[in-house]
């Protein structure tokens, strides 16, 4: 395997592991918490490092997972005092724990390669240098195996506890009443987020971890309204983002993590604008359609109201009706076209007349009001 | 046989310092349709949540059929306040109603054909059969409430707790819901409902609990639902019920 391929496969695995968990984080409105966890785990790593004196010990992952869960617990405790809102609580806990980690690193671990820059941005280019050697044989980059295992755990967790995750996310109270401890689900999820973040941060850095956990899920959320589809889409979007970002970084010779994070942002922007149902263009279009729809109804109703009265002629003249309705002429033309296409109107000389169809529709839309 | 299906003893609940419920004692016989009535912030939702073990009380306990909640979980159904969930959650009507069967299925296993049929039956019962595949974000308030009711029905419970099931529903839906609740009662189920509209208490319910942090009175509507007791509950003077 070439070093390039090893890097690419690593980011693809990281993206899937993050994007899958991220779906539940987004639905639980925990984007900020994700941000916090992916930083405060550093303190767990540092503490575990001081105890084990090794940067490769699996205890680093356990230390990180504990710190992630502790972050959630501390935030929730502060929130429960009702002295501050959740986002303020996160704003206090996150910098507090993170800066303790920074101080410890700079003061006591300066000559190990735990440094702040690589935590934030990762060192993807170093992925191929850290090999996994079994019985004297080099079987590939270590991060591939670490992240592969984490991806497997995440997927298993979601597959096995899918129903419980869905229920506890949608309605925690019912989950509790039915005996599916939402607290257990919550902390299991947070534990996995921490493990994923620590497994990934060494290679891709915490910024990209956050980007993968938040970006693809929110993009997927713009595109679908089914949980299963959202999960699949989120993972696919994550993978495509990873590949495209990597490819662009190779062409432009820029930071891999930076390039991928940018692509994730751009992808979301596209979905935000062009998503078929929820995108901004769709919204604008929908509003316009609705506007015409209401206009058709009010025109039909106007005609209906004046049917058979003395002023019917005056009120239904197609050249003056826009004045009665306070519309401009172009708008009236569009409304007329729409109504005529549906056979609600006929034009007799210059007078608009309701068809039986149109009369029925006018009455019906009046009754729903 | 246990005489009371629900017994609340000396229950006090506080968030932080201020007590929200103060020394509540209630004994509810089987098969009643009971309203919990009281002003905003009286602790009605809290009372239900504490009974369901969703909030740990400072003191006191709740017994169902003389036993603790955990052992009776299977027989208890719950309809939370409509606003307590996110209706933009990516799912549809059938899926939400199916959630009511999860308790019978247990951990990890998935709902199967049997559960699906049950859910469809319940959906039909609340008159939502046209909306089985409808995205829940596309439902009106009344439709959301019907979905929640269907979800509770598939729980096959003996005791139902419902937090403001009439909130934000039209008159037609309200009638449909109360008919279903009355039918549950006629099948021997016990139904506890947080209710807002004092005018309909006499028509809908046979028991009532008047609550305002403290328990003011509870019992049969005919005996307890008096102007005087209502005044004690709401702390206002003058008639509260129209036309009395
Ligand atoms: N999670 C909470 N934390 C702190 N106070 C709460 C919480 N939930 C409710 N309260 C307070 O408890 C009181 C009772 O609330 P609630 O039981 O919801 O009243 P009701 O349902 O009768 O309107 C209110 O004053 C409310 O502000
Ligand atoms: Mg309430």
């Amino acid at each position: 395997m070439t070093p390039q391929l090893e890097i690419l496969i690593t980011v693809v695995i990281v993206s899937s592991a993050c994007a899958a968990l991220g779906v539940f984080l987004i639905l639980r409105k925990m984007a900020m918490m994700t941000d916090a966890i992916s930083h405060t785990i550093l303190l767990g790593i540092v503490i575990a490092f001081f105890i084990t004196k090794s940067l490769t010990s699996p205890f680093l992952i356990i230390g990180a997972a504990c710190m992630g869960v502790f972050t959630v617990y501390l935030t929730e405790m502060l929130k429960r005092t009702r002295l501050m809102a959740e986002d303020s609580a996160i704003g206090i806990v996150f910098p507090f724990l993170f800066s303790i980690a920074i101080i410890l690193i700079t003061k006591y671990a300066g000559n190990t390669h735990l440094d702040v820059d690589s935590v934030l941005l990762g060192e993807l280019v170093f992925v191929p240098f850290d090999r996994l050697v079994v019985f004297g044989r080099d079987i590939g980059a270590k991060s591939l195996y670490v992240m592969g295992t984490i991806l497997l755990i995440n997927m298993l967790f979601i597959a096995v506890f899918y129903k419980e995750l869905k229920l506890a996310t949608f309605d925690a109270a019912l989950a509790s009443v039915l005996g599916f401890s939402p607290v257990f689900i919550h902390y299991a999820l947070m534990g996995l987020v921490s493990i994923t973040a620590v497994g990934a941060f060494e290679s891709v850095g915490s910024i990209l971890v956050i980007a993968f956990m938040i970006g693809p899920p929110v993009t997927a959320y713009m595109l679908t309204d089914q949980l299963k589809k959202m999960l699949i889409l989120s993972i696919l979007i994550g993978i495509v983002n990873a590949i495209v970002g990597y490819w662009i970084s190779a062409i432009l010779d820029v930071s891999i993590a930076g390039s991928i994070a940018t692509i994730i942002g751009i992808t979301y922007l596209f979905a935000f604008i062009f998503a078929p149902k929820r995108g901004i263009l769709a919204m604008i279009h929908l509003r316009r359609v609705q506007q015409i729809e209401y206009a058709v109804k009010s025109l039909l109703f106007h005609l209906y109201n004046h049917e058979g009265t003395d002023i019917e002629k005056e009120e239904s003249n197609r050249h003056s009706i826009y004045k009665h309705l306070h519309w401009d002429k172009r708008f009236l033309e569009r409304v007329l076209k729409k109504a005529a296409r549906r056979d609600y109107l006929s034009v007799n000389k210059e007078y608009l007349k309701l068809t039986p169809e149109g009369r029925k529709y006018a009455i019906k839309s009046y009754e729903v009001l | 046989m246990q005489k009371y299906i629900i017994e609340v003893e000396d229950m006090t609940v506080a968030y932080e310092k201020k007590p929200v419920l103060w020394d509540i004692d209630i004994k509810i016989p089987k098969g009643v349709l009971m309203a919990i009535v009281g002003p905003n912030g009286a602790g009605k939702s809290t009372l239900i949540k504490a009974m369901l073990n969703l909030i740990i009380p400072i003191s006191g306990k709740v017994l169902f059929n003389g036993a603790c909640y955990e052992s009776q979980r299977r027989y208890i159904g719950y309809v939370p306040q409509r606003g307590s969930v996110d209706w933009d959650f990516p799912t549809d009507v059938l899926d939400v109603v199916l959630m009511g069967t999860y308790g019978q299925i247990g951990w990890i296993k998935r709902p199967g054909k049997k559960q699906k049929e049950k859910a469809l039956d319940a959906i039909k019962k609340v008159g939502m059969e046209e909306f089985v595949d409808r995205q829940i974000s596309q439902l009106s308030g009344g439709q959301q409430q019907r979905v929640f009711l269907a979800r509770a029905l598939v729980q096959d419970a003996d005791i139902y707790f419902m937090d403001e099931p009439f909130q934000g529903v039209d008159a037609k839906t309200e009638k449909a819901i109360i008919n279903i609740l009355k039918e549950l009662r006629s099948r021997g189920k016990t139904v506890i409902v947080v209710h807002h509209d004092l005018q309909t208490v006499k028509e809908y319910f046979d028991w009532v609990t008047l609550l305002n942090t403290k328990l003011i009175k509870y019992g049969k509507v005919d005996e307890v639902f008096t102007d005087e007791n209502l005044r004690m509950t709401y702390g206002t003077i003058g008639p509260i019920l129209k036309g009395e």
Side-chain angles (χ1 to χ4, degrees):
Chain A
M1 218 186 278
T2 65
Q4 283 79 7
L5 196 57
E6 278 180 343
I7 295 175
L8 183 59
I9 295 178
T10 302
V11 283
V12 165
I13 292 176
V14 170
S15 75
S16 316
C18 293
L21 288 184
V23 167
F24 292 100
L25 297 172
I26 291 303
L27 293 175
R28 299 167 82 88
K29 318 218 169 355
M30 298 193 70
M32 281 293 288
M33 187 72 90
T34 309
D35 191 0
I37 290 176
S38 56
H39 286 85
T40 56
I41 50 167
L42 183 62
L43 182 57
I45 296 172
V46 174
I47 293 172
F49 170 70
F50 283 142
I51 296 170
T52 62
K53 306 261 184 279
S54 149
L55 263 179
T56 54
S57 159
F59 282 107
L60 296 196
I61 292 196
I62 296 172
C66 292
M67 192 53 68
V69 169
F70 179 66
T71 306
V72 178
Y73 178 76
L74 207 59
T75 312
E76 282 171 1
M77 212 177 69
L78 277 178
K79 192 179 113 191
R80 259 202 305 275
T81 65
R82 284 214 155 188
L83 295 175
M84 58 182 85
E86 173 159 318
D87 55 347
S88 323
I90 293 174
I92 288 181
V93 171
F94 159 19
F96 176 66
L97 297 179
F98 186 57
S99 36
I100 295 178
I102 304 284
I103 290 170
L104 288 176
I105 291 175
T106 45
K107 187 108 182 101
Y108 300 108
N111 46 9
T112 66
H113 74 238
L114 255 183
D115 73 85
V116 178
D117 278 353
S118 68
V119 168
L120 289 177
L121 296 174
E123 293 294 357
L124 265 171
V125 285
F126 291 149
V127 161
F129 292 103
D130 196 3
R131 315 300 299 179
L132 191 64
V133 180
V134 178
F135 300 124
R137 258 189 64 204
D138 176 351
I139 57 168
K142 198 179 108 202
S143 60
L144 262 179
Y145 287 90
V146 173
M147 280 317 295
T149 311
I150 291 174
L151 172 64
L152 199 67
I153 294 173
N154 288 356
M155 292 304 176
L156 273 178
F157 177 74
I158 293 174
V160 171
F161 294 108
Y162 177 74
K163 153 173 135 271
E164 288 76 9
L165 274 166
K166 181 166 68 179
L167 177 60
T169 302
F170 176 62
D171 191 342
L174 184 72
S176 170
V177 167
L178 293 180
F180 302 100
S181 165
V183 178
F184 167 76
I185 304 262
H186 183 58
Y187 280 97
L189 187 63
M190 293 305 112
L192 284 186
V193 169
S194 310
I195 291 174
T196 309
V198 67
F201 99 106
E202 213 186 350
S203 45
V204 306
S206 51
I207 300 291
L208 196 50
V209 168
I210 299 163
F212 274 138
M213 280 191 184
I214 309 299
V218 293
T219 306
Y221 201 13
M222 296 293 293
L223 300 174
T224 179
D225 39 28
Q226 275 176 271
L227 182 56
K228 271 189 190 139
K229 279 193 192 152
M230 187 176 164
L231 268 165
I232 294 167
L233 263 179
S234 174
I235 294 170
L236 287 180
I237 291 168
I239 292 174
V240 171
N241 284 169
I243 294 173
V244 172
Y246 179 80
W247 179 64
I248 289 179
S249 80
I251 292 177
L252 300 180
D253 193 21
V254 293
S255 145
I256 303 171
S259 166
I260 296 174
T262 311
I263 294 298
I264 292 173
I266 292 173
T267 309
Y268 175 71
L269 192 66
F270 263 88
F272 180 77
I273 298 172
F274 298 109
K277 271 196 246 162
R278 311 229 171 95
I280 201 116
L281 290 183
M283 295 283 197
I284 293 171
H285 177 71
L286 182 70
R287 202 167 315 146
R288 220 179 265 157
V289 169
Q290 271 171 349
Q291 201 185 6
I292 299 258
E293 194 65 30
Y294 288 131
V296 168
K297 280 182 187 168
S298 53
L299 173 66
L300 294 179
F301 198 64
H302 173 84
L303 294 173
Y304 176 70
N305 262 338
H306 292 289
E307 262 184 345
T309 64
D310 315 338
I311 48 170
E312 182 176 1
K313 283 230 145 79
E314 179 192 332
E315 293 283 346
S316 64
N317 187 314
R318 74 171 292 172
H319 300 299
S320 62
I321 193 168
Y322 69 95
K323 284 184 207 144
H324 297 277
L325 294 166
H326 288 276
W327 290 344
D328 73 44
K329 258 183 153 160
R330 286 222 317 277
F331 187 72
L332 176 70
E333 287 309 315
R334 273 167 58 202
V335 175
L336 285 179
K337 223 155 106 199
K338 179 112 186 175
R341 208 179 316 138
R342 292 205 210 147
D343 292 327
Y344 289 155
L345 283 180
S346 59
V347 185
N348 186 352
K349 284 185 218 141
E350 53 199 342
Y351 300 112
L352 300 172
K353 250 188 128 25
L354 286 174
T355 61
E357 197 65 29
R359 196 167 304 119
K360 230 165 56 198
Y361 185 69
I363 296 168
K364 205 181 89 201
S365 35
Y366 178 71
E367 275 170 355
V368 233
L369 291 181
Chain B
M1 219 213 61
Q2 188 67 31
K3 190 153 176 249
Y4 297 106
I5 197 162
I6 306 170
E7 294 166 86
V8 181
E9 288 174 16
D10 307 321
M11 189 193 298
T12 296
V13 177
Y15 301 103
E16 306 100 56
K17 287 174 219 139
K18 205 182 79 200
V20 175
L21 290 176
W22 189 247
D23 199 32
I24 307 288
D25 281 281
I26 306 180
K27 289 184 165 65
I28 304 170
K30 188 167 176 298
V32 298
L33 178 47
M34 185 176 92
I36 300 179
V37 171
N40 273 331
K44 303 180 295 291
S45 298
T46 305
L47 177 60
I48 285 194
K49 285 182 188 157
M51 286 183 181
L52 291 170
N53 257 25
L54 294 170
I55 296 172
I56 311 298
I58 293 180
S59 68
K61 63 177 175 186
V62 186
L63 297 175
F64 295 92
N65 287 315
C68 71
Y69 175 80
E70 299 296 331
S71 68
Q72 302 294 305
R73 191 195 291 291
R74 175 66 197 79
Y75 309 106
I76 298 169
Y78 178 42
V79 177
Q81 252 170 304
R82 185 161 58 88
S84 68
V85 304
D86 173 11
W87 290 94
D88 280 329
F89 192 85
T91 187
D92 56 30
V93 167
L94 178 61
D95 204 34
V96 171
V97 175
L98 270 173
M99 288 177 187
T101 66
Y102 286 7
Q104 299 140 38
I105 304 172
W107 285 87
I108 298 171
K109 276 176 271 162
R110 299 287 168 81
K113 214 170 162 182
K114 200 174 118 218
Q115 282 80 23
K116 208 161 163 183
E117 270 165 23
K118 215 168 169 183
L120 288 171
D121 273 351
I123 290 172
K124 210 179 247 166
K125 194 154 194 183
V126 299
M128 288 284 289
E129 58 269 42
E130 281 171 54
F131 301 93
V132 171
D133 302 320
R134 180 68 69 90
Q135 206 54 42
I136 58 168
S137 57
Q138 317 268 313
L139 300 174
S140 71
Q143 291 168 337
Q144 292 175 350
Q145 213 63 267
R146 285 169 190 249
V147 170
F148 263 8
L149 184 62
R151 188 178 72 170
L153 292 178
V154 300
Q155 280 185 257
D156 264 345
D158 290 337
I159 310 165
Y160 285 99
F161 291 92
M162 309 192 176
D163 204 338
E164 304 204 18
F166 303 116
Q167 188 241 324
V169 311
D170 53 279
K172 203 173 119 220
T173 302
E174 180 158 332
K175 279 279 166 311
I177 293 179
I178 194 65
N179 283 337
I180 290 173
L181 301 192
K182 284 180 173 167
E183 194 214 310
L184 286 173
R185 176 181 56 187
S186 71
R187 298 205 332 245
K189 316 277 187 189
T190 309
V191 185
I192 318 285
V193 179
V194 172
H195 191 55
H196 236 103
D197 182 6
L198 294 177
Q199 312 304 329
T200 51
V201 169
K202 281 187 171 168
E203 183 189 337
Y204 291 173
F205 300 94
D206 52 4
W207 272 54
V208 67
T209 290
L210 299 172
L211 185 75
N212 192 351
T213 309
K214 281 174 273 186
L215 178 65
I216 309 295
K217 273 275 161 41
Y218 81 98
K220 295 204 173 88
V221 170
D222 304 337
E223 295 162 15
V224 175
F225 199 67
T226 61
D227 239 6
E228 192 195 337
N229 286 339
L230 282 173
R231 231 170 283 138
M232 286 208 318
T233 312
Y234 286 83
T236 45
I237 355 175
I240 291 174
L241 287 174
K242 274 186 226 148
E244 293 203 10

